[in-house]
Amino acid sequence: MIQAKEAVRIAKEYLEDLYEEEDVKDIGLEELRFDGGKWRVTIGFRRVWPLPKAAPTIAEFLTRRTSDRTYKTVQISEDGRILALNHREVAYGESST
């Protein structure tokens, strides 16, 4: 069985490879748990999108910090195989750490 640190490394490398053409930034561990014989590793990252031409509204400006970060949960088997990739929603005010 792979250990926690190895599961995190596999998840990060998988996401870096999968999103290679999107030039993702600030890739980091958000959550980690072993459940039902598999690792569930949540990784957060930023996608660098082109800026809009118009100035953001106050609401857009205030929510930008959370809205430009993406969270994905990678499910990994005990032997290190990728089983699934899921989007992880984070509610406003919820800490993912």
Side-chain angles (χ1 to χ4, degrees):
M1 181 172 108
I2 63 171
Q3 298 301 307
K5 196 170 187 177
E6 179 71 3
V8 172
R9 184 191 62 74
I10 290 169
K12 284 182 175 181
E13 287 178 2
Y14 177 71
L15 287 173
E16 286 174 336
D17 183 54
L18 189 64
Y19 290 99
E20 178 181 25
E21 294 180 15
E22 295 189 32
D23 192 31
V24 295
K25 305 284 186 205
D26 302 329
I27 298 169
L29 175 65
E30 300 293 339
E31 293 178 336
L32 172 68
R33 72 185 154 143
F34 188 75
D35 182 28
K38 59 189 158 199
W39 288 102
R40 296 176 190 268
V41 184
T42 301
I43 303 292
F45 57 90
R46 282 187 322 110
R47 290 177 166 145
V48 183
W49 303 110
L51 293 174
K53 295 186 189 279
T57 65
I58 297 288
E60 290 169 337
F61 179 78
L62 293 174
T63 59
R64 182 176 177 120
R65 184 168 181 263
T66 56
S67 65
D68 67 356
R69 190 142 177 91
T70 299
Y71 301 93
K72 300 292 182 182
T73 299
V74 182
Q75 294 180 34
I76 303 170
S77 70
E78 292 181 66
D79 64 357
R81 290 178 296 116
I82 302 294
L83 300 173
L85 172 67
N86 303 100
H87 182 70
R88 168 72 159 82
E89 281 294 329
V90 178
Y92 180 74
E94 176 187 358
S95 173
S96 61
T97 56

